[in-house]
Amino acid sequence: MSKEEKKVNRRDFLFTASYTVGAVGLGAVIWPLIDQMNPDKAQQALATTEVDISQVEPGKSITVLWRGKPVFLKRRTLDEIAEARAVSMDDLPDPQKDEERVKDGKDEWLVMLGVCTHLGCVPLKDKGDYKGWFCPCHGSHYDVSGRIRKGPAPKNMEIPKFEFVDNNTIKIG
Amino acid sequence: MSDHEYVPKSKAGKWFNDRLPLLTLGSHLTDYPTPKNLNYWWTFGGILTFCLLTQIITGIVLAMHYVAHADLAFASVEHIMRDVNYGWLIRYIHSNGASMFFLAVYIHIFRSLFYGSYKSPREVIWIIGLLIYLLMMATAFMGYVLPWGQMSFWGATVITNLFSAIPLVGESITTWLWGAYSVDNPTLTRFFSLHYLMPFLILGLVVLHIWALHVPGNNNPVGIEIKKPSKDTVPFHPYITIKDAFALLMFMILFAGFVFFTPNVLGHSDNYIPANPLVTPAHIVPEWYLLPFYAILRSVPDKLGGVILMFGAIFILFVLPWLDTSKVRSAVFRPVYRQFYWIFVADVLMLGYMGAMPAEGIYLVLARVGTVYYFLHFIVVMPVVGFFEKTDPIPMSISEPVLSGGAEPALAKKDNDKI
């Protein structure tokens, strides 16, 4: 009896070991098939863009393409900056100070991804209830700091990594 | 499903059939006992098979001329329209064919809802059908992206961004779907690959759908179980094939009407503008067949909540056989459910209309009412009505009302006419 039990146990072990090796092998085969869909080297190589901002007047903005997405570069007026900073944090669904969204000493330049955080449409400038941006797809309103104020979008428009190369050039990415 | 074993008449036929019983299968399909009271709402299965084959054939032909590349796709579609011999005809059949396919599938689904075809013992048929419906939506969505017009691009952006609502891994999943940091060339090429694959998956599921149907046999307008074969049934061929063929011809007239007279009425003119990642169209709408779900998505002022409700609206259909507590299948004998059924139909149509309108003011309010009612219908109305409703008397067989000439059959007949 005990002899037979032992035999069964050894077979169980062999089964379990085989299944485990099989599962690892299957995973090793499936992973390349899944990972090939992630952004390739060529996509990753498009990671930085330099923008000449010398022609932008106060109150105006330009849009450039970075990684296939629009980036808004807005040169804000003093009034607009003051307005953005006067907003109470309690009125914001995604509380963030205007100061945290711009570079120190370059307060007039708002650089952000022109992508609605709801479902990825490009919001229209100088529209909506808060004088900032308005997304036509599902009605999200953003203020002059690009912060979400009303509508289905959950977050403020994203600030990409960027730096001032000199006074007239911004490098995004 | 004849009781006697099928034996081919010819010697060669017998030789072949002993090795691969295809002739037995053919005989089963020909003789398949079908309820004799099937009305024209039962012809849409055949119509849907026709739609699938039309899409596959025209699609294979289009793929011979289409180029799946962000810089060339739009131009290649125009090339099909202007240069390829009969390219305009083949593309219009394919693009309108998608709409015809959905029109037929919605009629097919609502027929099932009215006559209780999803109920025991046909739950598996219903679930396979829903899987087909899900694959159809995925296929149609990806197909709509291929021309790489403005609606293609922004439709793809909005739909793929639905996945970004998933907590923690949402962004990674979206990037993985795109193969880039936005909808771009890698997105287009994989959508083309999958758009070509999925119709064949649908075809496989259709085979399972029909197989599962042939186990219990067709439901029927009276919704009772019948003996097969019996005086309540007729052989599938020629009785059902000829009725299906007539209905298919009527359907093809409608189809041809769209293709030849208003080929673009169901599309959106913005899709004749090449894709531009810098500008979103002012009014972005999906194709008409997705509008009710789009209305549900937009009616929720929360991103994740909207996505959950939208997918929930489809997935709740999977448990429908267990939400419906009524023992009686056909709404013909369910006076209370019948009223709710038509309210539900109106609700879905209203949601579709709201999906096409801007999400503001009264439209938004009505979309929210419609969304709440949509879920109430399944979660509350179906279980509760099935429990309390006093159903009308059900005939013993399909033939009985005709032969006995009682009062109930008159009721049944009247309702069949109305539906």
Side-chain angles (χ1 to χ4, degrees), chain B residues 132-195:
Chain B
I132 293 173
Y133 174 52
L134 278 179
L135 275 181
M136 276 175 66
M137 289 197 283
T139 311
F141 157 66
M142 292 188 193
Y144 195 55
V145 174
L146 301 184
W148 212 240
Q150 271 291 67
M151 278 295 161
S152 299
F153 184 89
W154 291 102
T157 300
V158 167
I159 300 295
T160 50
N161 263 301
L162 293 178
F163 295 93
S164 73
I166 302 168
L168 301 176
V169 292
E171 294 291 334
S172 315
I173 290 177
T174 315
T175 306
W176 177 72
L177 285 174
W178 288 337
Y181 301 100
S182 62
V183 172
D184 210 332
N185 191 51
T187 324
L188 176 61
T189 51
R190 66 190 54 183
F191 276 19
F192 179 57
S193 171
L194 295 173
H195 182 72

Coordinates of all heavy atoms in Angstrom, one line a residue, chain B residues 132-195:
Chain B
I132 N -20.5 37.2 -30.7 CA -20.5 37.7 -32.1 C -20.7 39.2 -32.2 O -20.0 39.9 -32.9 CB -21.5 36.9 -33.0 CG1 -21.1 35.4 -33.0 CG2 -21.6 37.5 -34.4 CD1 -22.2 34.6 -33.7
Y133 N -21.7 39.6 -31.5 CA -22.0 41.1 -31.5 C -20.8 41.9 -31.0 O -20.5 42.9 -31.6 CB -23.3 41.3 -30.6 CG -23.7 42.7 -30.4 CD1 -23.9 43.6 -31.4 CD2 -23.9 43.2 -29.1 CE1 -24.3 44.9 -31.2 CE2 -24.3 44.5 -28.9 CZ -24.5 45.3 -29.9 OH -24.9 46.6 -29.7
L134 N -20.2 41.5 -29.9 CA -19.0 42.2 -29.4 C -17.9 42.2 -30.5 O -17.3 43.3 -30.8 CB -18.4 41.5 -28.2 CG -19.1 41.8 -26.9 CD1 -18.5 41.1 -25.7 CD2 -19.0 43.3 -26.6
L135 N -17.6 41.1 -31.1 CA -16.6 41.0 -32.2 C -17.0 41.9 -33.4 O -16.2 42.6 -34.0 CB -16.4 39.6 -32.7 CG -15.4 38.7 -31.9 CD1 -15.3 37.4 -32.5 CD2 -14.1 39.4 -31.8
M136 N -18.3 41.9 -33.7 CA -18.8 42.8 -34.8 C -18.5 44.3 -34.5 O -18.0 45.0 -35.3 CB -20.3 42.7 -34.9 CG -20.7 41.5 -35.8 SD -22.5 41.4 -35.8 CE -23.0 42.9 -36.6
M137 N -18.7 44.7 -33.2 CA -18.4 46.1 -32.9 C -16.9 46.4 -33.0 O -16.6 47.5 -33.5 CB -19.0 46.4 -31.5 CG -20.5 46.4 -31.4 SD -21.2 47.2 -30.0 CE -20.9 46.0 -28.8
A138 N -16.1 45.5 -32.5 CA -14.7 45.7 -32.6 C -14.2 45.8 -34.0 O -13.4 46.6 -34.4 CB -13.9 44.6 -31.8
T139 N -14.7 44.9 -34.8 CA -14.4 44.8 -36.2 C -14.8 46.1 -36.9 O -14.0 46.7 -37.7 CB -15.0 43.6 -36.9 OG1 -14.8 42.4 -36.1 CG2 -14.5 43.4 -38.3
A140 N -16.0 46.5 -36.7 CA -16.6 47.7 -37.4 C -15.8 48.9 -36.9 O -15.4 49.8 -37.8 CB -18.0 47.9 -37.0
F141 N -15.4 49.0 -35.7 CA -14.7 50.2 -35.2 C -13.3 50.2 -35.9 O -12.9 51.3 -36.3 CB -14.5 50.0 -33.6 CG -13.3 50.8 -33.1 CD1 -13.3 52.2 -33.2 CD2 -12.3 50.1 -32.5 CE1 -12.2 52.9 -32.7 CE2 -11.2 50.8 -32.0 CZ -11.2 52.2 -32.1
M142 N -12.6 49.1 -35.9 CA -11.3 49.1 -36.5 C -11.4 49.4 -38.0 O -10.5 50.1 -38.6 CB -10.6 47.8 -36.3 CG -10.2 47.6 -34.9 SD -9.2 46.1 -34.6 CE -9.3 46.0 -32.9
G143 N -12.4 48.9 -38.7 CA -12.6 49.1 -40.1 C -12.8 50.6 -40.4 O -12.3 51.2 -41.3
Y144 N -13.5 51.3 -39.4 CA -13.8 52.7 -39.6 C -12.6 53.5 -39.5 O -12.5 54.6 -40.0 CB -14.9 53.1 -38.6 CG -15.5 54.5 -38.8 CD1 -16.2 54.7 -40.0 CD2 -15.5 55.5 -37.9 CE1 -16.8 55.9 -40.3 CE2 -16.1 56.7 -38.1 CZ -16.7 56.9 -39.3 OH -17.3 58.1 -39.6
V145 N -11.5 53.0 -38.8 CA -10.3 53.7 -38.6 C -9.4 53.7 -39.9 O -8.7 54.6 -40.2 CB -9.5 53.1 -37.4 CG1 -8.1 53.7 -37.3 CG2 -10.3 53.3 -36.1
L146 N -9.6 52.6 -40.7 CA -8.7 52.4 -41.8 C -8.6 53.5 -42.9 O -7.5 53.7 -43.4 CB -9.0 51.0 -42.5 CG -8.9 49.8 -41.6 CD1 -9.1 48.5 -42.4 CD2 -7.5 49.7 -40.9
P147 N -9.7 54.2 -43.2 CA -9.6 55.2 -44.2 C -8.7 56.4 -43.7 O -8.3 57.3 -44.5 CB -11.0 55.7 -44.5 CG -11.9 54.6 -44.0 CD -11.1 54.0 -42.9
W148 N -8.4 56.5 -42.5 CA -7.5 57.5 -41.9 C -8.0 58.9 -42.2 O -7.2 59.8 -42.5 CB -6.1 57.3 -42.4 CG -5.0 57.6 -41.4 CD1 -4.1 58.6 -41.6 CD2 -4.8 57.1 -40.1 NE1 -3.3 58.6 -40.4 CE2 -3.7 57.8 -39.5 CE3 -5.5 56.2 -39.3 CZ2 -3.2 57.5 -38.2 CZ3 -5.0 55.9 -38.0 CH2 -3.9 56.6 -37.5
G149 N -9.3 59.1 -42.1 CA -9.9 60.4 -42.1 C -10.0 61.0 -40.7 O -9.5 60.4 -39.8
Q150 N -10.6 62.2 -40.6 CA -10.7 62.8 -39.3 C -11.5 62.0 -38.3 O -11.1 61.9 -37.2 CB -11.3 64.2 -39.5 CG -10.3 65.3 -39.8 CD -9.4 65.6 -38.6 OE1 -8.6 64.8 -38.2 NE2 -9.5 66.8 -38.0
M151 N -12.6 61.5 -38.8 CA -13.5 60.7 -37.8 C -12.8 59.4 -37.5 O -12.9 58.9 -36.4 CB -14.8 60.4 -38.4 CG -15.8 61.5 -38.3 SD -16.2 61.8 -36.6 CE -16.9 63.5 -36.7
S152 N -12.0 58.8 -38.5 CA -11.2 57.6 -38.2 C -10.3 57.9 -37.0 O -10.3 57.2 -36.0 CB -10.4 57.2 -39.4 OG -11.2 56.9 -40.5
F153 N -9.5 58.9 -37.2 CA -8.4 59.2 -36.3 C -9.0 59.5 -34.9 O -8.5 59.0 -33.9 CB -7.6 60.4 -36.8 CG -6.4 60.7 -35.9 CD1 -5.2 60.1 -36.2 CD2 -6.5 61.6 -34.9 CE1 -4.1 60.3 -35.4 CE2 -5.4 61.9 -34.1 CZ -4.2 61.2 -34.3
W154 N -10.0 60.4 -34.8 CA -10.5 60.8 -33.5 C -11.4 59.8 -32.9 O -11.5 59.7 -31.7 CB -11.1 62.2 -33.6 CG -10.0 63.2 -33.9 CD1 -9.7 63.8 -35.1 CD2 -9.0 63.7 -33.0 NE1 -8.6 64.6 -35.0 CE2 -8.1 64.5 -33.7 CE3 -8.7 63.4 -31.7 CZ2 -7.0 65.1 -33.1 CZ3 -7.7 64.0 -31.1 CH2 -6.8 64.9 -31.8
G155 N -12.1 59.0 -33.7 CA -12.8 57.9 -33.2 C -11.9 56.9 -32.5 O -12.1 56.5 -31.4
A156 N -10.8 56.6 -33.2 CA -9.8 55.7 -32.6 C -9.2 56.3 -31.3 O -9.0 55.6 -30.4 CB -8.7 55.5 -33.6
T157 N -8.9 57.6 -31.3 CA -8.4 58.2 -30.1 C -9.3 58.1 -28.9 O -8.9 57.7 -27.9 CB -8.1 59.7 -30.4 OG1 -7.1 59.8 -31.5 CG2 -7.5 60.4 -29.2
V158 N -10.6 58.5 -29.2 CA -11.6 58.4 -28.1 C -11.8 57.0 -27.6 O -11.7 56.8 -26.4 CB -12.9 59.1 -28.5 CG1 -14.0 58.8 -27.5 CG2 -12.7 60.6 -28.7
I159 N -11.9 56.1 -28.5 CA -12.2 54.7 -28.0 C -11.0 54.0 -27.3 O -11.2 53.4 -26.3 CB -12.7 53.8 -29.2 CG1 -13.9 54.4 -29.9 CG2 -12.9 52.4 -28.8 CD1 -15.2 54.4 -29.1
T160 N -9.8 54.2 -27.9 CA -8.7 53.6 -27.2 C -8.4 54.3 -25.9 O -8.0 53.7 -24.9 CB -7.4 53.7 -28.1 OG1 -7.2 55.1 -28.5 CG2 -7.5 52.8 -29.3
N161 N -8.8 55.6 -25.7 CA -8.6 56.3 -24.5 C -9.6 55.8 -23.4 O -9.4 56.1 -22.2 CB -8.8 57.8 -24.6 CG -7.4 58.5 -24.8 OD1 -6.6 58.4 -23.9 ND2 -7.2 59.1 -25.9
L162 N -10.6 55.1 -23.8 CA -11.5 54.5 -22.8 C -10.7 53.6 -21.9 O -11.0 53.5 -20.7 CB -12.6 53.6 -23.5 CG -13.6 54.3 -24.4 CD1 -14.5 53.3 -25.0 CD2 -14.4 55.3 -23.6
F163 N -9.7 52.9 -22.4 CA -8.9 52.0 -21.6 C -8.0 52.8 -20.6 O -7.6 52.2 -19.6 CB -8.1 51.1 -22.4 CG -8.9 50.2 -23.3 CD1 -9.3 50.5 -24.6 CD2 -9.4 49.0 -22.7 CE1 -10.1 49.7 -25.3 CE2 -10.2 48.1 -23.5 CZ -10.6 48.5 -24.8
S164 N -7.8 54.0 -20.8 CA -6.9 54.8 -19.9 C -7.7 55.1 -18.6 O -7.1 55.5 -17.6 CB -6.5 56.1 -20.6 OG -7.6 57.0 -20.7
A165 N -9.0 54.8 -18.6 CA -9.8 55.0 -17.4 C -9.5 53.9 -16.3 O -9.8 54.1 -15.2 CB -11.3 55.0 -17.7
I166 N -8.9 52.8 -16.8 CA -8.6 51.7 -15.8 C -7.6 52.2 -14.8 O -6.5 52.8 -15.3 CB -8.1 50.5 -16.6 CG1 -9.1 50.0 -17.6 CG2 -7.7 49.4 -15.6 CD1 -8.6 49.0 -18.6
P167 N -7.8 52.0 -13.5 CA -6.8 52.5 -12.6 C -5.5 51.8 -12.7 O -5.4 50.7 -13.1 CB -7.5 52.2 -11.2 CG -8.9 51.9 -11.5 CD -9.0 51.5 -12.9
L168 N -4.4 52.6 -12.4 CA -3.0 52.1 -12.4 C -2.5 51.7 -13.8 O -1.5 52.3 -14.2 CB -2.9 50.9 -11.4 CG -3.3 51.2 -10.0 CD1 -3.2 49.9 -9.1 CD2 -2.4 52.3 -9.4
V169 N -3.0 50.7 -14.4 CA -2.4 50.2 -15.7 C -3.0 50.8 -16.9 O -2.6 50.5 -18.0 CB -2.5 48.7 -15.7 CG1 -1.7 48.0 -14.7 CG2 -4.0 48.2 -15.6
G170 N -4.0 51.7 -16.8 CA -4.7 52.2 -17.9 C -3.8 52.9 -19.0 O -3.9 52.6 -20.1
E171 N -2.9 53.7 -18.5 CA -2.0 54.4 -19.4 C -1.1 53.5 -20.2 O -0.9 53.6 -21.4 CB -1.1 55.4 -18.7 CG -1.9 56.6 -18.0 CD -2.5 57.6 -19.0 OE1 -1.9 57.7 -20.2 OE2 -3.5 58.2 -18.7
S172 N -0.6 52.5 -19.5 CA 0.3 51.5 -20.1 C -0.5 50.7 -21.2 O 0.0 50.4 -22.3 CB 0.9 50.5 -19.1 OG 1.3 51.2 -18.0
I173 N -1.7 50.3 -20.8 CA -2.5 49.6 -21.8 C -2.8 50.4 -23.0 O -2.7 49.9 -24.2 CB -3.9 49.1 -21.1 CG1 -3.6 48.0 -20.1 CG2 -4.9 48.6 -22.2 CD1 -4.8 47.6 -19.3
T174 N -3.1 51.7 -22.8 CA -3.4 52.5 -24.0 C -2.2 52.7 -24.9 O -2.3 52.5 -26.1 CB -3.9 53.9 -23.5 OG1 -4.8 53.7 -22.4 CG2 -4.5 54.7 -24.6
T175 N -1.0 52.9 -24.3 CA 0.2 53.0 -25.1 C 0.5 51.7 -25.8 O 0.9 51.7 -27.0 CB 1.4 53.3 -24.1 OG1 1.1 54.5 -23.4 CG2 2.7 53.6 -24.9
W176 N 0.2 50.6 -25.1 CA 0.4 49.3 -25.8 C -0.5 49.1 -27.0 O -0.1 48.6 -28.0 CB 0.2 48.2 -24.7 CG 0.3 46.8 -25.2 CD1 1.4 46.1 -25.6 CD2 -0.8 45.9 -25.4 NE1 1.1 44.8 -26.0 CE2 -0.3 44.7 -25.9 CE3 -2.2 46.0 -25.3 CZ2 -1.0 43.6 -26.2 CZ3 -3.0 44.9 -25.6 CH2 -2.4 43.7 -26.0
L177 N -1.8 49.5 -26.8 CA -2.7 49.4 -27.9 C -2.3 50.3 -29.1 O -2.4 49.9 -30.2 CB -4.1 49.9 -27.5 CG -4.9 49.0 -26.6 CD1 -6.2 49.6 -26.1 CD2 -5.3 47.7 -27.3
W178 N -1.8 51.5 -28.8 CA -1.3 52.4 -29.8 C 0.0 51.9 -30.5 O 0.2 52.2 -31.7 CB -1.1 53.8 -29.3 CG -2.3 54.5 -28.9 CD1 -3.6 54.3 -29.3 CD2 -2.4 55.6 -27.9 NE1 -4.5 55.2 -28.7 CE2 -3.8 56.0 -27.9 CE3 -1.5 56.2 -27.1 CZ2 -4.2 57.0 -27.1 CZ3 -2.0 57.3 -26.3 CH2 -3.3 57.6 -26.3
G179 N 0.9 51.4 -29.7 CA 2.2 51.1 -30.3 C 3.0 52.4 -30.5 O 4.0 52.4 -31.2
A180 N 2.5 53.4 -29.8 CA 3.1 54.8 -29.9 C 2.6 55.6 -28.8 O 2.0 55.0 -27.9 CB 2.8 55.4 -31.3
Y181 N 2.9 56.9 -28.8 CA 2.4 57.7 -27.7 C 1.1 58.5 -28.0 O 0.6 59.3 -27.3 CB 3.5 58.7 -27.2 CG 4.7 57.9 -26.8 CD1 5.8 57.7 -27.6 CD2 4.7 57.3 -25.6 CE1 6.9 56.9 -27.3 CE2 5.8 56.5 -25.2 CZ 6.9 56.3 -26.0 OH 7.9 55.5 -25.6
S182 N 0.6 58.1 -29.2 CA -0.7 58.6 -29.6 C -1.2 57.6 -30.7 O -0.4 56.8 -31.1 CB -0.6 60.0 -30.2 OG 0.2 60.0 -31.3
V183 N -2.4 57.8 -31.2 CA -2.8 57.0 -32.3 C -1.9 57.4 -33.5 O -1.8 58.6 -33.9 CB -4.3 57.3 -32.7 CG1 -4.7 56.7 -34.0 CG2 -5.2 56.9 -31.5
D184 N -1.3 56.4 -34.1 CA -0.3 56.7 -35.1 C -0.1 55.6 -36.1 O -0.9 54.6 -36.0 CB 1.1 57.0 -34.4 CG 1.9 58.0 -35.2 OD1 1.8 58.1 -36.5 OD2 2.7 58.7 -34.6
N185 N 0.9 55.6 -36.9 CA 1.0 54.5 -37.9 C 1.0 53.1 -37.3 O 0.3 52.2 -37.9 CB 2.3 54.8 -38.7 CG 2.3 53.9 -39.9 OD1 1.4 53.8 -40.7 ND2 3.4 53.1 -40.1
P186 N 1.7 52.8 -36.2 CA 1.6 51.5 -35.7 C 0.2 51.1 -35.3 O -0.2 49.9 -35.4 CB 2.5 51.6 -34.4 CG 3.4 52.7 -34.6 CD 2.6 53.7 -35.4
T187 N -0.6 52.0 -34.9 CA -2.0 51.8 -34.5 C -2.8 51.3 -35.8 O -3.5 50.4 -35.8 CB -2.7 53.0 -33.9 OG1 -1.7 53.7 -33.1 CG2 -3.9 52.6 -33.1
L188 N -2.6 52.1 -36.9 CA -3.3 51.8 -38.1 C -2.9 50.4 -38.6 O -3.8 49.6 -39.0 CB -2.9 52.8 -39.2 CG -3.5 52.6 -40.6 CD1 -5.0 52.6 -40.5 CD2 -2.9 53.7 -41.5
T189 N -1.6 50.0 -38.6 CA -1.2 48.7 -39.2 C -1.8 47.6 -38.4 O -2.3 46.6 -38.9 CB 0.3 48.6 -39.3 OG1 0.9 49.0 -38.1 CG2 0.8 49.5 -40.4
R190 N -1.8 47.7 -37.1 CA -2.3 46.6 -36.3 C -3.8 46.5 -36.4 O -4.4 45.4 -36.4 CB -1.9 46.7 -34.8 CG -2.4 47.9 -34.0 CD -1.8 48.0 -32.7 NE -0.3 48.1 -32.9 CZ 0.5 48.2 -31.9 NH1 0.1 48.2 -30.6 NH2 1.8 48.2 -32.1
F191 N -4.5 47.7 -36.5 CA -6.0 47.6 -36.7 C -6.3 46.9 -38.0 O -7.3 46.2 -38.1 CB -6.5 49.1 -36.7 CG -6.8 49.6 -35.3 CD1 -6.2 49.0 -34.2 CD2 -7.7 50.7 -35.1 CE1 -6.4 49.5 -32.9 CE2 -7.9 51.1 -33.9 CZ -7.3 50.6 -32.8
F192 N -5.5 47.2 -39.1 CA -5.8 46.5 -40.3 C -5.6 45.0 -40.2 O -6.5 44.2 -40.7 CB -4.8 47.1 -41.4 CG -5.0 46.4 -42.7 CD1 -6.2 46.5 -43.4 CD2 -3.9 45.8 -43.4 CE1 -6.4 45.9 -44.6 CE2 -4.1 45.2 -44.6 CZ -5.3 45.3 -45.2
S193 N -4.5 44.6 -39.5 CA -4.3 43.2 -39.3 C -5.5 42.5 -38.6 O -6.0 41.5 -39.0 CB -3.0 43.0 -38.5 OG -2.9 41.6 -38.1
L194 N -5.9 43.2 -37.5 CA -7.0 42.6 -36.7 C -8.4 42.7 -37.4 O -9.2 41.8 -37.3 CB -7.1 43.3 -35.3 CG -5.9 43.1 -34.5 CD1 -6.0 44.0 -33.2 CD2 -5.7 41.6 -34.1
H195 N -8.5 43.8 -38.2 CA -9.8 43.9 -38.9 C -9.9 42.8 -40.0 O -11.1 42.4 -40.3 CB -9.8 45.3 -39.7 CG -11.1 45.6 -40.4 ND1 -12.3 45.8 -39.8 CD2 -11.3 45.6 -41.7 CE1 -13.2 46.0 -40.7 NE2 -12.7 45.9 -41.9

